[in-house]
């Protein structure tokens, strides 16, 4: 045969293989689209039953094709069909596969059958596995236990199928404990013997198949620990010596291949099915299994005798690999990203293991970590003396380990658990390391800076100041990027606590260096530099007037370049806010910003994406706590353009930010604002036009998101001007609620209505009658609709102020005893079904059903719920000091409505106790937002209400003055609600 003829035959064979593979892939797509009519991806026509039989019969024999890719593609096709037909419609599938994997003479068939079973096993459920395991497991066990007959790649594939079966059985064990135990125990006993055999020999270098099979063993063990708690501890004690052998020997391989960067250590390897194999993935799996063992109360005792050695080796696994050194040296941005994120790496898994050791073993675990860290520190010193080029990696890993558990170590030190002088130990480590060459060991220097910021409370003040000065110098010097990263992290933590006389001489130089660094930064590093700049600006208060002209233009430029990036733009705005808050800086900053922002808002449609919304956000920041002249300057430049954006824009981000900005202008300008343009009536009309647009029922909900806070500003600042529009306002709110798609928006509208209830406190019946005369689509009137929604949403209302307003408003409504309230039925309790797990299809055809109860009973139970929540959060913290948290509330002889109205509209003359404020903050998330909403809490007298006192007065007065109504309403309370009410009545 000629050479050309041989080449043509080879090309023809390759072409046939390729065509067969492509055909198999197309078959899988064909199955997905045409096999089952009710599937989401179905495309007509459907495959007929006779055609399905033929396709299934043709596919099975192809599993022993000599070409791996074809076997894989055929297996995928079979697995796709099996999702629909197996086991009922394709009973011969499993017998065929079992027969194929038992044919030792047909290696291609064994490969194909195992690949197919592996694909099938990923979709197994609790109806199939119990039937499958008894017949399948003996065949898999034969393969796993026969290294002389089957290569490691095949044995690993068999183990992956076992892993899938254990996963399903584990998920069943909670309900079918006895059944799964009877299936698992015989299987697991024989498996543990094989696991021991696989793990007991030392890990071999450059043998990916060896890593893979061990990895599958670890995955099986991990799944067993997590999902089958009934397995006896004695089973796992057998595995410990082989597991330890794998752990220790794998470090030697990992050290040489990855940490030292041995030849081809980073080459990508693949198994026979095309799956990637990695030494690092194997080590991570090993560490993950150890984390699970240590975290298991029963198994932790088995490991307890070796925790010092476990920590000792774990620290070594946390060394930087040569690949990481290479990557991070070239890309500081990647270094920052990997440091900040919980990345998939041995370093991170090692940190998690150390944390779990402290959680499991407490003081003993902490002692083990300190001792191991000292040993590794001394070893790195010896390696340095011996001339090792990588000596610093072990030192850096030791500091990295310390930093990762800094919170636990500091807590333990504070409580007296740590008896050694931790501060001196850390100082010894970092002082010695700073003497090394910064260019020779940049990552070690970066880690030293970072650990100083973590343990600054334990380090001698003089040493801390030295490192602060060192970090300032590093920012200004020609040092490798990782060192600058570490210096920035240290400065962002150290500057807020530094003494003024220490930092002031260096602050201008530092700011200039950071600005220069800012020009070179990108992405993650940009975030870090901005964070450091913010800390530096705050630290340089006394030089603030000199800071503003230097820093502001640069930060504004960064903000403009990254305005569409929410993370970077927020960082930039926070730096500008720090400048604004510095003495003497707000007016020059505003004069710098306002002309540009004004021109942007004048022509919003011509601006790049995000610039208008970002400009409005920047203005809102400027307006926060701004002096009156600054607010007026912003008003004169941006008031009308901000209104036009709300009235004309279709961009929801722009509308939201414009609404917030306008509310901030109202908050700062208050009553005086109406006359700033000369005609108060004209200005008021503009403000009402904005409210009308935001309450338009045809506007998408997200565009109206902040309308609630805006209208509250109008109500509180301009009550007399808003009073004539109350009816139109309520009608618009109801229409907006009925078309609303966002629960948060609907809740904010409820808060407005609740505040209107308070404004009518002199005669709440008048408010009720007004609501009765306003129509609501699908309901008899607005009161019926609003109360049905309000009572459903009350539990979702967030914010201390909002909870006070809505809760007290409900009490005001109930205190009227208006007969119309009793005519309204609202959602009561969920009717529980005994039909088992509720799937999406069940939910579609049988949605949740609720009881209907009278509105007064629902309001009464909601008030009792609030009372119970406060008691749970406040009183349970200190049952011995109840009187300090709950003040006596005297009952009045007057009528109930007058008492409630009075207590809800007049500020308390007695300042709330510190304990009370702390407790309320916990219950109602006070202080979580620093937005213009805070102004509502400053000017609204309702915020002075002590909710616990208010509710105590309400229940006491109702009990004393209308006992029959009180007893009737109490019948609708749950046991916990009744207990909460009884508790306050006993006071």
């Amino acid at each position: 045969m000629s050479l050309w003829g041989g080449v043509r035959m080879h090309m023809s064979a390759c072409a046939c293989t390729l065509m067969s593979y492509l055909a198999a892939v197309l078959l899988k797509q064909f199955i997905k689209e045409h096999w089952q009519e009710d599937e989401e991806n179905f495309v007509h026509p459907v495959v007929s039953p006779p055609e399905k039989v033929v396709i299934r019969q043709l596919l099975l024999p192809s599993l022993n094709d000599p070409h791996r890719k074809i076997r894989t593609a055929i297996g995928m096709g079979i697995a796709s069909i099996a999702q629909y037909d197996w086991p009922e419609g394709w009973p011969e599938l499993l017998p065929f596969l079992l027969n194929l994997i038992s044919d030792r003479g047909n290696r291609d068939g064994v490969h194909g059958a195992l690949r197919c079973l592996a694909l099938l096993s990923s979709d197994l459920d609790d109806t199939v596995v119990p039937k499958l395991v008894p017949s399948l497991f003996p065949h898999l066990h034969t393969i796993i236990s026969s290294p002389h007959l089957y290569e490691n790649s095949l044995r690993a594939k068999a183990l992956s199928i076992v892993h899938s079966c254990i996963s399903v059985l584990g998920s069943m064990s909670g309900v079918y404990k006895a059944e799964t135990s009877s299936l698992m125990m015989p299987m697991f006993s024989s498996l543990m013997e094989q696991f021991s055999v696989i793990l007991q020999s030392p890990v071999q270098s450059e043998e990916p198949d060896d890593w893979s099979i061990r990895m599958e063993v670890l995955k099986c063990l991990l799944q067993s620990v997590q999902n089958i708690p009934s397995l006896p501890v004695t089973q796992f004690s057998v595995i410990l010596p082989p597991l330890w052998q794998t752990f220790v020997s794998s470090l030697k391989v990992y050290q040489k291949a990855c940490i030292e960067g041995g030849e081809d250590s980073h080459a990508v390897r693949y198994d026979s099915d095309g799956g990637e194999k990695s030494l690092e993935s194997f080590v991570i799996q090993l560490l993950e299994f150890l984390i699970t063992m240590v975290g298991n109360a029963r198994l932790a005792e088995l490991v307890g005798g070796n925790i010092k050695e476990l920590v000792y080796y774990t620290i070594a696994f946390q060394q930087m690999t040569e690949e990481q050194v290479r990557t991070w040296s070239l890309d500081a941005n990647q270094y920052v990203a990997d440091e900040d994120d919980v990345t998939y790496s041995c370093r991170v898994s090692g940190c998690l293991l150390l944390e779990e050791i402290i959680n499991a073993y407490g003081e003993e675990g902490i002692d083990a970590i300190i001792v191991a860290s000292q040993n590794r520190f001394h070893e790195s010193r010896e390696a340095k003396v011996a001339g090792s080029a990588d000596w610093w990696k072990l030192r850096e890993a030791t500091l990295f380990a310390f930093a990762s558990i800094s919170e636990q170590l500091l807590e333990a030190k504070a409580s007296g658990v740590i008896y050694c002088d931790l501060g001196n130990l850390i100082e010894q480590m970092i002082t010695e390391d700073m003497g090394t060459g910064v260019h020779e060991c940049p990552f070690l220097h970066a880690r030293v800076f970072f650990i100083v910021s973590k343990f600054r409370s334990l380090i001698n003040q003089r040493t801390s100041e030295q490192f602060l000065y060192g970090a300032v110098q590093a920012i200004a010097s020609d040092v490798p990027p990782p060192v600058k990263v570490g210096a920035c992290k240290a400065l962002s933590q150290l500057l807020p606590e530094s003494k003024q006389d220490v930092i002031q001489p260096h602050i201008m130089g530092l700011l200039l260096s950071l600005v220069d660094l800012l020009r070179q930064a990108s992405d993650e590093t940009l975030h870090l530099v901005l964070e450091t700049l913010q800390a530096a600006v705050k630290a340089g208060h006394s030089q603030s007037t000199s800071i503003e002209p230097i820093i502001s233009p640069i930060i504004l430029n960064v903000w403009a370049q990254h305005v569409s990036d929410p993370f970077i733009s927020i960082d930039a705005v926070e730096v500008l806010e720090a400048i604004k808050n510095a003495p003497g800086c707000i007016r020059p900053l505003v004069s710098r910003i306002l002309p540009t922002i004004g021109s942007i808002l004048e022509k919003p449609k011509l601006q790049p994406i995000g610039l208008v919304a970002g400009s409005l956000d920047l203005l809102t920041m400027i307006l926060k706590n701004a002096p009156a002249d600054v607010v007026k300057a912003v008003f004169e430049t941006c008031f009308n353009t901000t209104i036009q954006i709300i009235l004309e824009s279709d961009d929801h981000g722009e509308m939201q930010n414009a609404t917030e900005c306008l509310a901030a202008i109202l908050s700062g300008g208050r009553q005086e604002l109406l006359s700033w343009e000369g005609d108060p009536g004209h200005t008021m009309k503009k403000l009402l036009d904005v409210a009308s647009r935001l309450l338009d029922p045809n506007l998408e909900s997200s565009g109206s998101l902040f309308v609630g806070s805006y209208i509250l500003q109008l109500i509180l600042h301009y009550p007399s001007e808003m009073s004539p529009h109350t009816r139109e306002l309520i009608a618009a709110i109801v229409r907006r609620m009925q078309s609303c798609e966002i629960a948060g928006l609907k809740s904010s509208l409820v808060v407005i209505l609740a505040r209107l209830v308070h404004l009518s406190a002199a005669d709440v019946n008048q408010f009720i009658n007004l609501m009765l005369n306003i129509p609501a689509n699908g309901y008899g009137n607005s009161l019926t609709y609003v109360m049905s929604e309000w009572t459903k949403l009350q539990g979702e209302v967030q914010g201390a102020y909002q909870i006070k307003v809505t809760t007290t408003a409900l009490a005001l409504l109930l205190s009227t005893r208006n007969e119309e309230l009793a005519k309204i039925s609202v959602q009561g309790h969920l009717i529980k079904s005994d039909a088992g797990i509720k799937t999406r299809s069940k939910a579609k055809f049988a949605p949740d059903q609720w009881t209907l109860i009278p509105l007064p009973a629902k309001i009464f139970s909601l008030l009792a719920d609030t009372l119970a929540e406060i008691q749970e959060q406040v009183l349970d913290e200190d049952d011995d000091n109840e009187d300090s948290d709950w003040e006596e509330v005297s009952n009045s002889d007057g009528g109930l409505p007058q008492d409630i109205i009075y207590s809800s509209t007049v500020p308390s003359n007695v300042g709330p106790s510190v304990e009370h404020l702390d407790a309320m903050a916990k219950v109602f998330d006070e202080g979580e937002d620093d937005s213009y909403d805070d102004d509502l809490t400053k000017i609204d007298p309702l915020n002075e209400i002590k909710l616990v006192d208010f509710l105590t007065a309400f229940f006491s007065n109702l009990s004393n003055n209308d006992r029959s109504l009180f007893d009737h309403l109490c019948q609708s309370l749950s046991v916990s609600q009744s207990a909460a009410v009884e508790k306050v009545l006993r006071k």
Side-chain angles (χ1 to χ4, degrees):
M1 181 186 296
S2 67
L3 177 62
W4 175 242
V7 170
R8 282 191 299 173
M9 286 188 65
H10 176 71
M11 291 179 63
S12 176
C14 290
C16 289
T17 300
L18 179 60
M19 291 300 292
S20 299
Y21 174 67
L22 290 175
V25 172
L26 290 172
L27 174 63
K28 182 188 175 186
Q29 183 66 28
F30 172 81
I31 293 166
K32 184 182 294 186
E33 293 180 351
H34 300 285
W35 203 265
Q36 195 78 12
E37 282 189 276
D38 57 357
E39 284 297 300
E40 183 180 351
N41 297 319
F42 175 74
V43 178
H44 285 286
V46 67
V47 182
S48 67
E51 290 172 327
K52 289 182 178 181
V53 172
V54 172
I55 292 172
R56 290 195 297 255
Q57 289 175 345
L58 291 173
L59 282 177
L60 290 178
S62 301
L63 278 174
N64 63 2
D65 192 280
H67 296 96
R68 173 179 55 79
K69 288 189 175 181
I70 291 178
R71 289 196 305 267
T72 299
I74 293 295
M76 292 167 67
I78 292 172
S80 298
I81 294 174
Q83 289 181 14
Y84 308 115
D85 296 2
W86 182 68
E88 290 82 2
W90 200 359
E92 65 271 23
L93 173 61
L94 185 59
F96 180 89
L97 293 175
L98 295 180
N99 183 60
L100 202 56
I101 63 173
S102 62
D103 185 359
R104 298 178 182 178
N106 184 359
R107 286 303 175 88
D108 293 332
V110 174
H111 274 281
L114 280 175
R115 179 59 174 155
C116 186
L117 281 166
L119 292 166
L120 283 172
S121 66
S122 62
D123 291 315
L124 295 176
D125 59 28
D126 56 3
T127 62
V128 175
V129 169
K131 302 172 185 175
L132 178 64
V133 166
S135 54
L136 176 60
F137 179 73
H139 296 277
L140 297 177
H141 188 269
T142 299
I143 295 173
I144 294 167
S145 60
S146 304
H148 56 292
L149 296 175
Y150 301 99
E151 61 266 35
N152 279 348
S153 60
L154 271 178
R155 296 167 68 210
K157 189 64 66 181
L159 280 166
S160 72
I161 300 169
V162 171
H163 170 258
S164 297
C165 292
I166 293 175
S167 301
V168 176
L169 289 171
S171 65
M172 294 169 56
S173 62
V175 180
Y176 305 104
K177 187 174 182 179
E179 293 86 343
T180 54
S181 180
S182 63
L183 277 171
M184 285 294 299
M185 288 307 177
M187 181 173 75
F188 206 75
S189 297
S190 57
L191 277 174
M192 289 300 279
E193 181 181 345
Q194 295 305 315
F195 291 166
S196 297
V197 171
I198 293 169
L199 295 176
Q200 69 184 1
S201 59
V203 175
Q204 299 300 309
S205 177
E206 304 300 329
E207 287 195 21
D209 286 339
D210 178 54
W211 311 336
S212 294
I213 191 170
R214 291 175 194 263
M215 187 166 176
E216 293 300 333
V217 166
L218 294 168
K219 287 165 66 177
C220 289
L221 288 168
L222 180 65
Q223 199 62 236
S224 302
V225 173
Q226 289 177 333
N227 289 331
I228 311 175
S230 60
L231 289 172
V233 175
T234 52
Q235 295 272 17
F236 285 94
S237 61
V238 176
I239 206 75
L240 280 182
L243 177 66
W244 188 255
Q245 173 74 344
T246 289
F247 181 61
V248 174
S249 61
S250 63
L251 176 58
K252 298 176 182 178
V253 176
Y254 184 72
Q255 176 81 35
K256 181 179 179 181
C258 296
I259 296 171
E260 296 175 6
E263 187 178 356
D264 294 329
S265 64
H266 308 301
V268 179
R269 299 174 174 86
Y270 299 91
D271 61 23
S272 58
D273 294 311
E276 186 177 335
K277 293 186 287 190
S278 160
L279 174 60
E280 186 170 19
S281 295
F282 159 63
V283 174
I284 292 171
Q285 186 66 63
L286 177 58
L287 293 170
E288 291 293 325
F289 176 60
L290 289 168
I291 292 169
T292 304
M293 282 196 74
V294 170
N296 183 288
R298 296 190 307 148
L299 299 182
E301 295 182 11
L302 296 178
V303 188
N306 297 302
I307 57 171
K308 288 185 178 179
E309 293 83 1
L310 179 60
V311 172
Y312 178 78
Y313 285 105
T314 299
I315 291 174
F317 274 117
Q318 293 180 281
Q319 294 176 85
M320 290 172 62
T321 66
E322 193 61 28
E323 184 180 22
Q324 287 171 331
V325 172
R326 188 161 51 246
T327 301
W328 293 342
S329 297
L330 296 173
D331 188 356
N333 194 61
Q334 189 63 48
Y335 175 56
V336 175
D338 289 345
E339 283 280 294
D340 291 342
D341 295 338
V342 183
T343 53
Y344 183 73
S345 69
C346 290
R347 283 164 72 84
V348 171
S349 294
C351 292
L352 296 175
L353 179 53
L354 295 180
E355 289 178 13
E356 200 63 61
I357 286 171
I358 293 176
N359 293 336
Y361 305 107
E363 182 179 345
E364 185 183 358
I366 291 173
D367 182 61
I369 292 172
I370 291 175
V371 171
S373 299
Q374 289 173 318
N375 291 338
R376 287 303 190 184
F377 176 76
H378 293 309
E379 286 177 19
S380 66
R381 179 186 288 167
E382 293 169 1
K384 180 182 180 181
V385 172
S388 170
D390 288 334
W391 69 269
W392 63 268
K393 290 184 178 179
L394 192 55
R395 184 78 63 87
E396 192 272 347
T398 304
L399 295 175
F400 178 77
F402 253 41
S404 70
I405 55 169
S406 58
E407 290 184 13
Q408 293 94 324
L409 290 177
L410 290 171
E411 288 174 7
K413 178 69 175 174
S415 61
V417 170
I418 300 178
Y419 301 109
C420 74
D421 193 334
L422 187 59
N424 282 341
L425 173 61
I426 292 171
E427 282 190 45
Q428 179 190 358
M429 291 181 175
I430 61 178
T431 304
E432 182 174 318
D433 289 334
M434 287 307 285
T436 60
V438 67
H439 290 277
E440 290 77 16
C441 306
F443 292 103
L444 179 57
H445 276 260
R447 184 62 53 205
V448 167
F449 279 132
F450 187 59
I451 205 167
V452 168
S453 68
K454 286 285 187 179
F455 291 96
R456 57 192 180 279
S457 62
L458 300 184
I459 297 174
N460 178 279
Q461 183 178 335
R462 182 179 176 184
T463 304
S464 182
E465 290 174 0
Q466 287 176 345
F467 278 99
L468 175 66
Y469 180 64
V472 171
Q473 283 190 313
I475 297 294
S477 305
D478 181 19
V479 296
V483 181
K484 291 183 183 286
V485 167
C488 282
K489 287 189 174 184
L491 287 169
S492 64
Q493 299 294 319
L494 295 175
L495 283 172
E497 300 176 6
S498 63
K499 292 183 177 181
Q500 289 291 305
D501 59 335
V502 173
I503 190 60
Q504 287 307 314
H506 311 292
I507 199 70
M508 292 305 296
L510 173 61
L511 287 167
L512 291 172
S513 299
L514 285 169
V515 166
D516 186 57
L517 194 58
L518 197 64
R519 295 189 179 100
Q520 309 166 35
S522 61
D523 299 338
E524 298 290 340
T525 49
L526 188 60
H527 164 76
L528 180 62
V529 176
L530 287 169
E531 186 180 63
T532 311
L533 258 171
Q534 183 184 354
V537 169
K538 290 180 178 179
H541 252 216
S542 62
Q543 302 181 43
S544 53
T545 52
S546 302
I547 291 172
E548 193 280 327
I550 298 173
I551 305 297
S552 296
I554 307 296
I555 303 301
L556 284 168
N557 186 48
V558 171
W559 170 81
Q561 290 177 351
H562 298 85
V563 71
S564 58
D565 183 330
F567 299 104
I568 300 300
S569 61
I570 287 172
D571 289 336
V573 169
E574 287 179 348
V575 176
L576 291 170
E577 185 171 18
I579 296 172
K580 181 203 83 169
N581 293 334
C585 286
I586 185 169
R587 288 175 179 83
L589 179 63
V590 170
S591 65
R592 191 183 307 279
I593 291 175
L594 208 50
T596 303
I597 297 295
S599 62
I600 290 171
L601 300 184
E602 282 178 1
K603 299 177 181 179
K605 294 182 180 179
L606 302 180
Q607 307 305 327
I609 294 174
L611 185 58
V612 172
S615 298
L616 291 162
D617 188 44
L618 185 58
L619 272 184
T620 304
M621 180 275 290
I622 289 293
L623 288 162
K624 191 187 303 178
N625 300 319
D629 61 311
V630 170
V631 176
K632 189 172 183 180
V634 173
F635 174 90
E636 292 170 350
T637 306
C638 303
F639 178 70
N640 288 314
T641 52
T642 302
I643 285 177
Q644 286 305 115
I645 288 168
I646 297 174
L647 296 179
E648 298 176 3
S649 178
D650 294 321
D651 184 294
H652 298 153
E654 290 179 2
M655 292 188 67
Q656 289 172 14
N657 288 10
T659 305
E660 285 194 298
C661 182
L662 189 57
I665 293 174
L666 297 182
S667 175
R670 303 193 180 184
Q671 186 66 38
E672 292 78 15
L673 176 145
L674 292 181
S675 60
W676 281 350
E677 280 191 318
D679 184 355
H682 186 58
T683 301
M684 194 66 209
K685 183 181 182 303
K686 293 177 184 178
L687 297 175
L688 291 172
D689 287 343
V690 167
S692 179
R693 171 85 202 280
L694 294 173
L695 291 175
D696 183 350
N698 297 316
L699 183 67
E700 285 193 35
S701 298
S702 58
S704 304
L705 199 57
F706 299 124
V707 66
S709 295
Y710 170 71
I711 293 178
L712 280 175
Q713 294 280 354
L714 292 179
I715 291 172
L716 292 173
H717 292 303
Y718 316 115
S720 59
E721 288 83 359
M722 290 295 295
S723 180
H725 306 286
T726 301
R727 181 185 178 89
E728 292 83 359
L729 177 62
I730 292 174
I733 289 172
V734 170
R735 289 192 296 269
R736 176 72 275 192
M737 284 180 68
Q738 290 198 299
S739 68
C740 179
E741 300 166 352
I742 301 175
L745 171 56
K746 194 176 287 188
S747 295
S748 71
L749 297 174
V750 165
V751 175
I752 301 173
L753 293 171
R755 194 62 188 82
L756 290 174
V757 171
H758 283 284
L759 288 177
S760 64
D763 187 0
V764 179
N765 282 305
Q766 184 179 359
F767 176 84
I768 293 173
N769 293 331
L770 177 61
M771 294 284 288
L772 288 169
N773 288 301
I774 297 175
N777 188 28
Y779 292 80
N781 51 66
S782 287
L783 183 67
T784 302
Y785 167 72
V786 166
M787 297 315 299
S788 67
E789 291 297 315
W790 186 344
T791 51
K792 281 190 285 188
L793 291 167
Q794 180 61 29
E796 306 301 319
V797 175
Q798 296 182 358
Y801 171 79
Q802 289 81 357
I803 290 173
K804 285 181 182 180
V805 171
T806 52
T807 302
T808 51
L810 285 173
L812 281 175
L813 289 169
L814 184 57
S815 68
T816 64
R817 302 182 184 85
N818 192 300
E819 294 179 357
E820 295 296 329
L821 300 180
K823 297 178 182 178
I824 300 173
S825 295
V826 296
Q827 189 181 88
H829 306 291
L830 178 65
I831 301 173
K832 293 184 179 179
S833 171
D834 296 327
I837 297 172
K838 189 152 194 167
T839 61
R840 280 179 293 178
S841 59
K842 283 184 181 179
K844 181 179 179 181
F845 295 107
D848 289 338
Q849 293 187 349
W850 299 75
T851 62
L852 290 176
I853 63 174
L855 175 60
K858 181 66 174 182
I859 293 176
F860 195 75
S861 66
L862 287 171
L863 297 176
D865 260 339
T866 304
L867 196 61
E869 182 181 353
I870 297 174
Q871 289 176 355
E872 180 181 352
Q873 296 292 328
V874 180
L875 296 182
D876 288 350
E877 292 181 3
D878 190 0
D879 287 334
D880 296 329
N881 295 303
E882 290 184 2
D883 292 339
S884 67
D885 292 315
W886 290 78
E887 297 179 8
E888 294 287 347
V889 180
S890 60
N891 294 329
S892 171
D893 294 332
L896 176 64
Q898 288 77 11
D899 289 343
I900 295 298
I901 291 169
Y902 181 80
S903 65
S904 65
T905 55
V906 179
S908 172
N909 292 324
V910 181
S913 66
V914 173
E915 294 85 358
H916 181 83
L917 289 176
D918 288 344
M920 291 298 291
K922 292 178 183 176
V923 178
F924 301 115
D925 300 321
E926 278 187 342
E928 67 177 6
D929 186 16
D930 194 27
S931 71
Y932 66 87
D933 273 358
D934 286 350
D935 184 63
L936 296 174
T937 69
K938 296 174 184 175
I939 67 169
D940 194 344
L942 293 186
N943 197 58
E944 297 296 323
I945 294 173
K946 292 182 182 180
L947 198 52
V948 65
D949 291 353
F950 179 95
L951 292 172
T952 300
F954 172 81
F955 286 112
S956 298
N957 287 328
L958 188 59
S959 172
N960 293 334
N961 297 309
D962 197 339
R963 189 69 190 191
S964 60
L965 175 61
F966 178 83
D967 291 340
H968 174 71
L969 293 176
C970 280
Q971 293 175 11
S972 63
L973 299 182
S974 66
V975 174
S976 61
Q977 291 168 345
S978 295
V981 173
E982 289 174 9
K983 193 166 190 175
V984 297
L985 292 181
R986 291 198 303 268
K987 287 288 180 180

